Amino acid sequence: MDDPLSWLAQDAASGPLPIREGQFHRVVIGSDRVVCLPRTEAAAVRLPQRAATLRVLNELALGFHIPRPLFEGAGETPYLVLSRVPGAPLEGGVLDDPAAAGAVAKQYAELLSALAQAGADEQARAALPRTPQDRWQRFEADVHAELFELMSDAGRRRAERELAAASRLPHVATSVTHGDLGAENVLWEIDSGRPQLTGVIDWDEVTIGDPAEDLAAIAASHGDTFLDQVLALGGWTDNETSARVAAIRGTFALQQALAAHRDGDAEELADGLTHYT
C-alpha cells in the first residue's frame, strides 16, 4: 500500500485516530495495529533495522507484549506497520496508592529480571547491538564536539560534571536493555483495581547493555522512592548499582539533545538543552 494510513482506513471511518509523538517517530494508532512514520530522514533509514530488532525480541518470549512488524512500506514515504500492544501508560496518581505502587514495582522488577535472563540468550546476543566498551567516553567526546557550542558557560560546567561521572562507569553488557524505559513506553491495564503490565513499546535504543540504564529511566519517571522498591524487589541493593543508576540518569537530557542534533530535530534539541543554555 502506497498510503500508510490506508492500513487504518476502517478505524479512521469512525473518527480521528489518536497520534503519539515520540522523539524519532509519529505513531498513528488503530484498534489492532499502528502505523509508525519517521519524523526525520535519519529515523527513516533506521526503520528496517527497527523491524528486524522487533522480530528478534518477539522470539524471546519475555512474558509481555512487544510490537510485531506486519508490513514495511518503502518508497517516497517509508513507514512501518506494527501490531498494537494493549494497554496504556499509567495515569497520574496511580502510584499514590501504596498497594498499587507495590504491585507495579514488583512487575517492573519481574520485567527487568526477564530482560536480564534474555541477555544470556545466544540468539539475542548475536542479533542485538552490544554497548561499546568505550560508550561513555565516546559520548563525552561527541557532546563536546557537537553540543558545547550551543551551551552557556554554566551549561558547559554542568555538562562537564555529568559527563565526568558517566565516563567513570564500568562497562556492563549483561542484559537486554530497552534504553528508553520511561513511563510512556510501559503499558498497563487495570484488573480488579490493580495495574497489570501488558507490554513495552519503542525499542529503538535496545542493546545488550547495562540494566542500570533501564533502572535510571524508571527513576526519572517515577522518582527515587519508587525506584528503591524496584531495587529491593529485584535484589539490586548494592551501592555500585545505585551509583551507576545515578550517573546514567544524569546524562538523559544530553542524550536527548545529541540524538536530536544528529536527526535535525530542533524542537527536541531545544528541550534537551533546556538546562544548558
Side-chain angles (χ1 to χ4, degrees), residues 47-98:
L47 278 183
Q49 181 57 49
R50 187 182 195 208
T53 296
L54 289 171
R55 293 188 185 97
V56 171
L57 293 168
N58 272 279
E59 293 175 2
L60 293 176
L62 293 170
F64 49 84
H65 291 283
I66 291 170
R68 179 168 49 86
L70 303 176
F71 184 80
E72 296 178 57
E76 184 176 348
T77 306
Y79 63 94
L80 191 60
V81 182
L82 305 172
S83 63
R84 179 177 178 177
V85 173
L90 286 175
E91 295 183 359
V94 169
L95 299 184
D96 293 340
D97 176 2

Side-chain angles (χ1 to χ4, degrees), residues 76-157:
E76 184 176 348
T77 306
Y79 63 94
L80 191 60
V81 182
L82 305 172
S83 63
R84 179 177 178 177
V85 173
L90 286 175
E91 295 183 359
V94 169
L95 299 184
D96 293 340
D97 176 2
V104 171
K106 181 175 183 293
Q107 291 172 83
Y108 263 117
E110 291 169 349
L111 183 162
L112 292 170
S113 294
L115 292 178
Q117 184 174 352
D121 182 275
E122 292 185 6
Q123 179 185 8
R125 295 187 72 84
L128 298 177
R130 185 173 302 193
T131 302
Q133 190 158 1
D134 61 348
R135 180 259 178 92
W136 294 111
Q137 289 75 26
R138 289 189 197 178
F139 179 69
E140 180 177 23
D142 290 344
V143 170
H144 272 273
E146 300 180 46
L147 298 181
F148 263 45
E149 66 180 6
L150 306 176
M151 298 179 184
S152 66
D153 290 341
R156 293 188 193 100
R157 289 193 294 271

Side-chain angles (χ1 to χ4, degrees), residues 87-91 183-188:
L90 286 175
E91 295 183 359
E184 70 280 2
N185 290 328
V186 184
L187 306 186
W188 307 79

Side-chain angles (χ1 to χ4, degrees), residues 193-235:
R194 289 286 179 268
Q196 297 294 322
L197 175 68
T198 54
V200 179
I201 59 175
D202 198 356
W203 292 83
D204 287 14
E205 304 298 315
V206 65
T207 62
I208 301 296
D210 188 348
E213 294 205 35
D214 288 341
L215 288 163
I218 293 170
S221 291
H222 300 302
D224 292 332
T225 299
F226 181 81
L227 175 68
D228 288 342
Q229 292 186 65
V230 177
L231 292 171
L233 288 164

